[in-house]
Amino acid sequence: AGTDSHRNPHTGITRFDDGLTPVPSAALSVPDADQLARLLALGPVRLRLALDCGWDGEYTSQNVIGQIDGSAHPEEVVLIGGHLDSWDLGTGAVDDGAGVGITMAAGALIGRLPQRPARSIRVVAFANEEQGLHGGKAYAEAHKDQVHRHVIGAESDFGAGRIYGYSSSAPAYAEAADRAIAEALAPLGIEHMPGQGGPGPDIGPIAAKGAAWARLAQDGTDYFDLHHTPDDTLDKIDPQALAQNVAAYAVFAYLAASIENAQGFGFGSAPKAEDTSTIGK
Ligand SMILES: [Zn+2]
């Protein structure tokens, strides 16, 4: 479903709870859904559907990972990223070429600095988010013994609209470090919004295992006009808003990898008892 008035349905995936037999599913554009609703109000409707979609086997794709090794504690990692895949109707510039571009550009900026931050910065382009967070789940599984070494993670997966808010899961002991990041982000027009939001979809699985997360909340006013449609193309991206995103991720990642807390380092990452009940839902 989308928020635009075009006659392009927003593609996507339909999930069925375990134990249910999947039925064929299709998406309708908003105008066509409205028309169907009007017709249904008049009485029974017969609709002929021609669907050529379906499952066509499984393939292996890869998370693409780049890292700037920390100068003092390379084993401790600040994770940023987006997802590499997109639906094939558009070019995926908004969902999620923007997120990959924003976080890779932030990594590239930090990589060009004369001094590396104390801790590592890892940029992950997650594979196959769209069909069930497969890259994010595989990353969490592969790193389940290193949750405590993930300082904090943040994901860009909501287009390239300006970032307006910062929040994180940082506990009280990391409040000063968290506030220092928020203060550095403020000149970019970003408000500190403690206690709000949650991890993004691909960070979600490792956050569920106990990794700390941060959220750089974006203006998504037009996001659901564009995503998963032929209108998801590069011309929809505002270069100034994109640059603000890159700046914000660079500031966040650099400081998160550099700041020392009063009570030891970190933003509260600690392995949790296994609870997969909320993953992927
Ligand atoms: Zn996405």
Side-chain angles (χ1 to χ4, degrees):
T3 46
D4 61 298
S5 57
H6 293 187
R7 291 192 68 192
N8 309 315
H10 290 237
T11 196
I13 194 158
T14 304
R15 293 189 191 86
F16 295 86
D17 285 346
D18 289 345
L20 293 179
T21 305
V23 295
S25 311
L28 276 178
S29 70
V30 173
D32 288 310
D34 284 346
Q35 176 69 351
L36 182 59
R38 281 189 290 268
L39 290 170
L40 281 165
L42 297 175
V45 174
R46 277 182 70 183
L47 190 70
R48 192 179 299 277
L49 278 179
L51 297 175
D52 65 353
C53 50
W55 297 104
D56 190 21
E58 291 196 348
Y59 301 85
T60 300
S61 51
Q62 311 286 339
N63 289 338
V64 179
I65 301 177
Q67 181 163 310
I68 299 164
D69 286 335
S71 55
H73 309 288
E75 72 287 356
E76 295 176 10
V77 172
V78 172
L79 176 64
I80 55 175
H83 68 84
L84 199 52
D85 60 309
S86 68
W87 291 105
D88 52 358
L89 302 172
T91 62
V94 170
D95 182 15
D96 185 27
V100 172
I102 288 161
T103 52
M104 281 181 74
L109 283 174
I110 294 168
R112 266 186 241 134
L113 293 173
Q115 275 193 322
R116 284 175 288 142
R119 292 163 185 85
S120 297
I121 293 173
R122 183 176 294 169
V123 183
V124 183
F126 290 98
N128 200 352
E129 185 267 356
E130 296 288 1
Q131 292 179 318
L133 317 177
H134 292 286
K137 288 175 182 171
Y139 182 91
E141 183 60 26
H143 296 89
K144 64 183 175 192
D145 297 332
Q146 296 154 46
V147 167
H148 60 292
R149 291 186 166 163
H150 284 71
V151 176
I152 194 165
E155 174 174 1
S156 176
D157 186 14
F158 205 50
R162 288 184 71 85
I163 295 169
Y164 64 85
Y166 168 77
S167 59
S168 80
S169 63
Y173 77 80
E175 204 185 312
D178 198 46
R179 203 174 326 109
I181 292 174
E183 280 168 12
L185 290 170
L188 292 167
I190 299 170
E191 189 186 342
H192 194 195
M193 305 172 84
Q196 294 197 32
D202 280 316
I203 300 276
I206 193 145
K209 291 185 187 299
W213 55 264
R215 172 174 176 253
L216 291 157
Q218 289 172 285
D219 177 357
T221 305
D222 64 355
Y223 185 74
F224 290 107
D225 291 348
L226 304 169
H227 100 312
H228 300 192
T229 75
D231 288 331
D232 182 350
T233 50
L234 186 60
D235 56 300
K236 310 305 186 304
I237 290 181
D238 170 6
Q240 286 191 344
L242 184 68
Q244 187 251 13
N245 276 262
V246 173
Y249 270 88
V251 165
F252 162 75
Y254 186 88
L255 288 180
S258 307
I259 294 175
E260 300 288 347
N261 291 325
Q263 292 177 35
F265 185 75
F267 288 85
S269 290
K272 272 186 200 167
E274 197 71 21
D275 176 11
T276 56
S277 62
T278 56
I279 294 175
K281 293 273 167 72

